[in-house]
Structures are given as C-alpha cells and as structure tokens.
Amino acid sequence: MDVDDPSPRVGGDPPRIRRLEESVVNRIAAGEVIQRPSSAVKELVENSLDAGASTVSVTVKDGGLKLIQVSDDGHGIRFEDLPILCERHTTSKLSAYEDLQTIKSMGFRGEALASMTYVGHVTVTTITEGQLHGYRVCYKDGVMENEPKPCAAVKGTQVMVENLFYNMVARRKTLQNSNDDYPKVVDFISRFAVHHINVNFSCRKHGANRADVHSSSTSSRLDAIRNVYGASVVRDLIEIEVSDEDAGDAVFKMDGYISNANYVAKKITMILFINDRLVDCTSLKRAIEFVYSATLPQASKPFIYMSINLPSEHVDVNIHPTKKEVSLLNQERIIETIKNTIEEKLRNSNTTRIFQTQAVNSSALTQVYTQKDKGTDVKIASGMKSQKTPVSQMVRTDPRNPSGRLHTYWHGQSSNLEKKSDLVSVRNVVRSRRNPKDAGDLSSRHELLMEIDSHYHPGLLEVIKNCTYVGLADEIFALIQHNTHLYLVNVVNVSKELMYQQALCRFGNFNAIQLSEPAPLQELLLMALKDDELIGDENEEEKLEIAEVNSKILKENAEMINEYFSIHVDQDGNLTRLPVVLDQYTPDMDRLPEFVLTMGNDVTWDDEKECFRTTAAAIGNFYALHPPILPNPSGSGVQFYKKNKDCMASGEHVDSTDEDDIDHELLAEAETAWSQREWTIQHVLFPSMRLFLKPPKSMATDGTFVQIASLEKLYKIFERC
C-alpha cells in the first residue's frame, strides 16, 4: 500500500502528515477573512478610514462578485510599500505583539488585501501628498503582477476587486444562487455613515444614476441618522448616556440613541461601535430585545445606536478572523448597566405615547345634540319616502369610482387650491435647505442648466445611457454599440461637453486638486504665447504685455473663480489648486498654459451668465480627453522616436527594428500616456457619460455621433451573398 495515500486505512500504517503548500494555506485563510463580498467592502472601507479619509465612495456590480471599487481621499500608499502591500501579515498598524494591547486602528492583521488577491483580481491606484502622479498596480496571489505604472490620480487610494471567488466555484455558485449581497453592503455603509459623522460616504450600484447611500459630513449625530435612515426614525429617538467611571475595576462610557415607545418596525436595527470599531455583540443585543419586549410589547423591534468607549487594555480585538467580534473585560457588568439604563429610559417614555386621532365634524354633532335636547324626531317631509344611501357608495367596490373614497364624506375641510400656495412655499424651503448655494441669487447659472435640459437630443441620450463600449477606432474616435447599431463617437467632443456640463452641475461644490508646487501665472501665459502661431517670436514685448494683462485679470477675479470653480490663485499670482470635475480623473497638465491663457483671454468677465458659460467652456476644453502631445508610438508612429532625426527629415528609410536608434525613455513616456488615455476613456469617460451627459441636438449632425453599421442591413447583405 502506498504510504502517501491519505485515505483511511483499516489495520495499516497511519496516514502520513504533510505540510500544505503555501498557496493552499493562503486560500484557506482567505476564505475565512473574505467570507462574502460585503466582508471585502467592510475591510476596504475600514482601511480608508484608517488612512484618514474624509470621503469614501463605494461602487458594486452584481452584488460584489464582478466588481467592488472603493475610493478615498486618505493619505495614500508609499511607492516603496507597493511591492509588499498585498502580502500576508504586512501592516502599518503595529510592529510588535504588545501593540495589540493599545491598538486603535480598525485593521491590524494585514490579511484583508492579501486574502482578496487569492480569491479575486485586485488593482490599486494610489497617490501620496507631494507626488506629481500616482501609481497603478495589479496583484495576484499576494504579489504584484507587474511593476507599478505611473498614472494620473486624485489624492488618496482606489482599490478595485474584480471577479471575486473566481477560483472558488462552490462559494461563487452559492452566492449567485442566494439573494444579492448588495443590501448587506448598503447596511455596512449606512452604519459607518451614522458613526463617522465627519466623513462623506456614498454607495451605489455600478451604472446607477443615484446613490443608495449618500451622507455628507455633519456635526450632529441625529442629522447623520436622518440622512441615512430618514426623518421618521429620528422623530422617535431618545438620547442615552451611561458612565461607569466611579467603579475601580471597570471604566467605560456609552452614548447613543434608542427608539421610544412610538417607534414601530418589522426588524431590529442595532448599530454598535466599541472603541470606534463596528462589531456585533449577541449577548448585549439579546438583553436589549428582552427589555423592549418586557416593557413595550408593541415595540419589541427597536432602533439602537451605541458607541461604547473603554480603555484599550480592556478590549481583546484579536478573537475573530474578520474582526467582527471583540472580547470585553467585565462584559456581564457592562451589559447589565446598559440594560438597566435603557429600561429606566423606556419606562419614563411610556407616559408620552402618541396615538393617531381623527377630527370629528363638530357641526354635525351640534345638530344631533340640539335635536335630542328638543325631544323631537327627525322626520321626512310629507309625501316623500326616506332616501337610503346606495350600498355602492357605502362600500367602495370599484377603485376607479370616486364615490367610495373617504374625501367624499369630509365636510368643512379647506380645498386643495387654498393649500397650494403653502405647499409651494414649503417645497421652496426644502430645496433651499437641501442645496444652500442654489438658494442664492445665481439665476444665470440656473438658466445655463435649463438650456442644457431643454436642448438635449432624446435619441442620443438613449444611445448613451444603454450603449456598450467596443474600443478605440483611432486617436479621436471610439466605437460603441447600441442595440443592433454600431456608432463612431468623437471622444474629444463628448468629453468636452461632459466636462462643461459637470462644471455647471458641480458649481460651487468642487473638490480640489492641489498642485505640488505653485505655478506662476505669468510664466504659464508666456509658455502658452510662445506656442501661439499668431504672434511671432520677434514680438517678445507684445507677449510680455499680454501675459501681464491676463495675469492681472485673473488676480482681480481670483475670489470669484475660487468660490464657484475652485480655481485658486494666491496673492502672488500663483495657481495653486484646480477643480475635480470628474472623480478619479486628472487633466493633462501639458495643456495647463493653454487653459490659463483661455481663462484670461476668452472669459467674459463683465456679464454674469456669459462669465459662467465661458469659464465652464474653458474648463471643459482643458479637461477634455485630447490626444497626448507626444505622437502615438503604435505602428509606424515609432519613427517619431528615432534618435537620427536627419534621416527622417530627408525621407531616407530607417529600419524600425534598430533598437539602439530609438529613444526608449521618450517612447516609454508616450506609451504610458496613450495607454492611460485609453484606460480613462473606457473606465472613466464612458461610465460618467452614462450617468451625467445630456447630449445637445447639435451632436446628431456635427459628426460627433455617426452610425456606421446596422446588423439588420448586414444580415440582408449576407442573405444576398
């Protein structure tokens, strides 16, 4: 018998013990840490919060099995740390085991990212403060698949996990057959948004027009709950605080909100944070449910938010692979104290129960009581029979028949016309609270947005919303498919229009790109004028004068363009910040001088509406996806990167395979620029177009969209063949 055979034996030698391969060990560990897509989202969001992020955006496709994308504006990842980023047990949170006694960060094991690389395809894009560009790198089985590639990036980190559990067939099928995991993701983000009130959270399905969770930073916990769970929940909440500072053996503080006797829900909602860590505590949850069921039988499914703070040495965070649970010192005593406080609060609130009442028609009652006092009977006039109400009007049998609806029996109530003016005023107040900047006297900006809404092409909008990206046809055009039609799309034109519309939509609410070094306006203007063919090289004085005038104009209007468009010019005439028009997209900085010249030269400063239009147009042109300045190196374009320029100028044939004659450094820069543009077109431009672009009617006739093929016609051609 083979001694290596691991099958059970009867009366033979015991099976041999083997050391598992490292890849098997890592996949087993990954299955424990990343149990389902929502587990991956939780780990990534906690990493973002540990990085000091003030904005966290989550995008999910097919419940997280096809795509999980988490973007933040935290401190980023150092370039030198990227090679070991996704190895197991690599972390910046602790260095020695003793650090666990005082750990305050949410992550510390160094297993989350590593586990994701063993069960999915992970791509990380990051940039740290002070860097001119970011880096993008892909990981598989804990190691980099390639060297980090320079790329445009916005401050922070973006982690993209694709095809989760692609190599775990049983788990993937189980998750596909079960309910979508997306509700669990929304639940996690909602809980984080309630606790971390100084962080902006958003969570949406891939391709969705609106976010399912969208919370803004606020100073009030109640406002955070209202933003996420609605005003009806906040209305029935009671503030609760518990402190046990006097006890010598246990010191803890708890603050939060619990629902009162009027709150009614089908299931319990319990949000529990211990030392800012989102955890579950089954014993505490069971104790609270018992209090509610004993005190308020009709409200046994409460809403609970609790934040408990204890000394770090009283909490053991290292008891669960996903950090879902923690162990507390004197846990029974803490739970008993919290339970008693909740019970006392609920008993006091039981005297303030609210019951729905209905107003009674007082005039009808008065008439009845008056007739009874007189001792008279109500009689029908002589010669007439008593008229009974038809049964069809007493009980509504047809939903289309208004005679059975309640409003036919109401009398003495004010009409809808009388309430209309009040309703309009309330709506205006709500709009102004929802977006304070829109409440200002900026009618010209609203007029520009109305022009976009009234001049878009419905057919093109349908194409954009439901198209499939095929690929790039050349340097300018991309191919898309809609239903059975194939279209050529001018990438420069659509990106310019998209950026223009986004500049108006994000008006006054931009995030900012901080330039690594302040850029003097006058130097930028002189660089732009140097390339201007209309002004010869001999007119240096004229160029200097134009640069001074435009620089002065921009400094005079610095406050306005900073407030509305986040273009910051300091007192010394240096450009320091630019707006983020699309998330995770940075414009080509080689075109910055041209943009500054356009702002000074082409913006109409003396008319508000035209000022906003021309500024947004300048931003749109700058942020549009123009072809890179370096020629495309693919195909015959490699000839532009020959070191021997004289042969090229004379038209002599040069062997393109001569590696020594190619400027490899310049060629690599060009390849990076063109590949980055292609990636941005597919993964940033077209998804953003589906969400935001309203194509003007002119795009149907100016060559921006051109239909080049139809499957129906192709089928007819094939049939004739």
Side-chain angles (χ1 to χ4, degrees):
M1 181 179 291
D2 186 3
V3 296
D4 290 337
D5 185 7
S7 59
R9 289 161 172 76
V10 180
D13 294 334
R16 185 176 179 179
I17 297 175
R18 295 185 181 87
R19 180 181 288 107
L20 288 175
E21 294 182 6
E22 186 177 356
S23 61
V24 178
V25 175
N26 290 330
R27 282 195 171 85
I28 292 172
E32 294 176 350
V33 176
I34 308 301
Q35 298 173 349
R36 54 192 314 125
S38 55
S39 305
V41 173
K42 179 176 180 289
E43 296 283 358
L44 293 175
V45 171
E46 288 179 341
N47 284 346
S48 297
L49 295 173
D50 283 341
S54 60
T55 301
V56 179
S57 302
V58 179
T59 304
V60 175
K61 184 175 183 181
D62 286 359
L65 291 178
K66 282 195 175 180
L67 173 69
I68 296 172
Q69 180 176 293
V70 178
S71 308
D72 66 65
D73 60 352
H75 53 58
I77 302 166
R78 297 173 184 270
F79 172 76
E80 53 269 24
D81 293 337
L82 289 175
I84 64 169
L85 174 66
C86 293
E87 290 184 9
R88 287 192 69 197
H89 307 306
T90 56
T91 179
S92 62
K93 314 297 172 60
L94 78 168
S95 56
Y97 180 76
E98 289 73 21
D99 295 339
L100 274 176
Q101 305 300 321
T102 57
I103 194 77
K104 293 184 178 179
S105 60
M106 281 166 272
F108 57 88
R109 293 170 179 266
E111 285 190 311
L113 281 174
S115 298
M116 293 176 205
T117 65
Y118 286 103
V119 295
H121 302 112
V122 177
T123 303
V124 177
T125 305
T126 186
I127 184 172
T128 56
E129 188 173 359
Q131 285 187 328
L132 297 179
H133 57 77
Y135 292 93
R136 178 177 293 110
V137 60
C138 299
Y139 295 88
K140 183 178 181 181
D141 293 341
V143 298
M144 296 191 302
E145 290 189 285
N146 46 44
E147 290 297 316
K149 295 181 180 179
C151 66
V154 179
K155 177 193 173 188
T157 303
Q158 181 192 81
V159 180
M160 188 163 57
V161 184
E162 299 175 286
N163 298 322
L164 196 62
F165 304 125
Y166 72 97
N167 52 0
M168 301 176 71
V169 179
R171 184 172 300 189
R172 189 175 180 90
K173 285 186 176 180
T174 301
L175 290 169
Q176 285 177 335
N177 295 334
S178 65
N179 291 330
D180 193 352
D181 216 41
Y182 183 68
K184 295 182 183 294
V185 174
V186 172
D187 183 58
F188 273 132
I189 304 301
S190 300
R191 292 166 186 260
F192 280 119
V194 168
H195 184 71
H196 297 278
I197 59 176
N198 58 338
V199 180
N200 301 313
F201 288 92
S202 70
C203 178
R204 71 173 71 238
K205 285 186 177 180
H206 182 266
N209 291 327
R210 59 182 296 274
D212 294 289
V213 179
H214 185 76
S215 70
S216 302
S217 58
T218 177
S219 59
S220 168
R221 185 81 59 199
L222 283 178
D223 286 343
I225 298 175
R226 183 182 293 108
N227 289 338
V228 177
Y229 291 98
S232 59
V233 174
V234 174
R235 185 177 58 239
D236 297 326
L237 294 184
I238 311 169
E239 188 173 7
I240 183 170
E241 292 183 359
V242 181
S243 178
D244 195 23
E245 294 181 352
D246 296 333
D249 55 347
V251 179
F252 85 95
K253 291 182 180 179
M254 187 277 283
D255 62 87
Y257 291 90
I258 61 173
S259 55
N260 62 16
N262 302 308
Y263 180 78
V264 178
K266 294 181 180 179
K267 64 177 182 177
I268 184 173
T269 301
M270 183 166 179
I271 306 170
L272 176 62
F273 282 82
I274 297 179
N275 286 6
D276 294 325
R277 187 186 302 275
L278 178 61
V279 296
D280 290 338
C281 183
T282 306
S283 53
L284 177 59
K285 182 178 180 181
R286 192 177 295 119
I288 293 174
E289 283 187 305
F290 176 78
V291 171
Y292 270 85
S293 60
T295 310
L296 303 169
Q298 298 303 319
S300 56
K301 301 297 181 185
F303 179 96
I304 308 290
Y305 163 75
M306 286 185 182
S307 176
I308 301 176
N309 289 292
L310 299 111
S312 301
E313 58 271 18
H314 290 182
V315 183
D316 185 1
V317 299
N318 191 30
I319 65 169
H320 195 278
T322 64
K323 307 181 293 292
K324 185 180 180 181
E325 299 175 4
V326 295
S327 179
L328 307 179
L329 188 65
N330 298 316
Q331 178 170 308
E332 293 79 7
R333 177 175 178 173
I334 292 173
I335 292 175
E336 187 67 23
T337 305
I338 293 174
K339 187 181 78 169
N340 293 338
T341 305
I342 292 177
E343 188 173 4
E344 182 181 354
K345 280 278 186 181
L346 288 178
R347 285 179 175 174
N348 292 336
S349 71
N350 202 20
T351 59
T352 60
R353 293 291 300 274
I354 299 174
F355 298 94
Q356 300 297 327
T357 60
Q358 179 177 351
V360 181
N361 191 342
S362 58
S363 59
L365 284 178
T366 304
Q367 183 179 0
V368 171
Y369 285 125
T370 302
Q371 291 174 347
K372 284 186 177 181
D373 291 341
K374 292 181 179 179
T376 59
D377 297 329
V378 180
K379 296 182 180 180
I380 307 300
S382 58
M384 296 181 64
K385 295 183 179 179
S386 174
Q387 296 181 354
K388 295 183 178 180
T389 305
V391 175
S392 62
Q393 293 187 14
M394 295 174 63
V395 179
R396 188 172 72 173
T397 57
D398 185 356
R400 295 168 296 180
N401 182 6
S403 63
R405 296 175 187 165
L406 286 177
H407 66 78
T408 58
Y409 302 100
W410 292 348
H411 304 283
Q413 301 293 331
S414 58
S415 65
N416 290 334
L417 292 176
E418 294 174 357
K419 293 184 178 179
K420 188 173 182 180
S421 60
D422 293 336
L423 183 60
V424 171
S425 63
V426 170
R427 284 177 176 169
N428 290 335
V429 171
V430 170
R431 287 195 188 103
S432 65
R433 287 181 179 176
R434 187 176 299 163
N435 195 343
K437 287 189 178 292
D438 283 354
D441 186 16
L442 293 175
S443 57
S444 54
R445 179 247 183 177
H446 293 292
E447 290 174 8
L448 292 173
L449 291 175
M450 290 298 293
E451 287 180 10
I452 294 173
D453 290 337
S454 59
H455 291 91
Y456 76 86
H457 193 289
L460 288 182
L461 183 65
E462 170 65 21
V463 170
I464 289 173
K465 294 289 186 186
N466 300 289
C467 71
T468 301
Y469 177 79
V470 177
L472 284 180
D474 60 15
E475 299 175 356
I476 301 296
F477 287 94
L479 283 168
I480 62 171
Q481 181 180 343
H482 177 255
N483 293 336
T484 58
H485 303 299
L486 193 65
Y487 294 88
L488 273 177
V489 181
N490 189 312
V491 171
V492 177
N493 286 357
V494 294
S495 61
K496 189 181 298 184
E497 180 65 25
L498 173 64
M499 303 302 179
Y500 167 76
Q501 294 182 11
Q502 282 296 99
L504 292 176
C505 290
R506 297 194 175 196
F507 185 89
N509 289 284
F510 290 96
N511 291 327
I513 302 172
Q514 185 74 35
L515 300 185
S516 57
E517 294 181 6
L521 289 177
Q522 195 151 338
E523 291 184 17
L524 292 172
L525 289 165
L526 287 173
M527 291 171 63
L529 291 169
K530 183 179 179 180
D531 298 332
D532 196 333
E533 298 178 355
L534 298 178
I535 305 177
D537 294 337
E538 64 277 2
N539 297 326
E540 293 296 333
E541 292 184 3
E542 184 178 351
K543 291 181 180 179
L544 185 59
E545 183 180 353
I546 294 174
E548 289 177 353
V549 170
N550 285 332
S551 179
K552 183 179 179 182
I553 291 173
L554 290 174
K555 284 193 286 186
E556 289 174 352
N557 294 278
E559 184 178 355
M560 184 274 290
I561 59 176
N562 180 46
E563 180 181 358
Y564 294 144
F565 296 101
S566 195
I567 301 172
H568 183 258
V569 176
D570 62 20
Q571 295 179 348
D572 299 326
N574 297 318
L575 181 66
T576 62
R577 283 201 304 268
L578 291 170
V580 176
V581 178
L582 278 184
D583 295 333
Q584 296 298 322
Y585 172 67
T586 305
D588 185 357
M589 289 301 173
D590 289 336
R591 299 185 180 273
L592 184 59
E594 179 187 347
F595 169 64
V596 174
L597 181 61
T598 303
M599 287 290 296
N601 228 17
D602 297 348
V603 173
T604 306
W605 299 103
D606 53 356
D607 180 84
E608 184 182 80
K609 181 177 179 180
E610 284 305 308
C611 176
F612 294 160
R613 184 201 302 274
T614 50
T615 302
I619 292 173
N621 186 60
F622 173 43
Y623 282 73
L625 280 105
H626 299 278
I629 292 177
L630 291 173
N632 192 341
S634 62
S636 60
V638 74
Q639 298 292 336
F640 290 101
Y641 300 94
K642 296 290 185 181
K643 294 179 181 178
N644 190 350
K645 306 293 183 183
D646 296 334
C647 293
M648 291 178 57
S650 61
E652 296 180 17
H653 176 71
V654 181
D655 187 5
S656 60
T657 61
D658 189 358
E659 294 293 330
D660 295 334
D661 195 38
I662 295 177
D663 189 339
H664 290 284
E665 185 176 349
L666 192 61
L667 180 63
E669 183 181 347
E671 288 175 343
T672 300
W674 282 90
S675 62
Q676 172 63 30
R677 178 175 184 261
E678 183 174 357
W679 186 92
T680 304
I681 289 171
Q682 179 179 356
H683 296 284
V684 178
L685 176 63
F686 275 89
S688 300
M689 281 171 50
R690 295 188 189 99
L691 291 175
F692 306 121
L693 181 63
K694 297 177 180 177
K697 295 177 181 178
S698 59
M699 284 189 172
T701 56
D702 63 2
T704 301
F705 286 82
V706 179
Q707 181 181 329
I708 59 172
S710 172
L711 288 183
E712 293 92 342
K713 295 180 181 178
L714 289 176
Y715 289 148
K716 291 179 181 178
I717 294 173
F718 292 144
E719 287 172 359
R720 288 200 298 270
C721 294

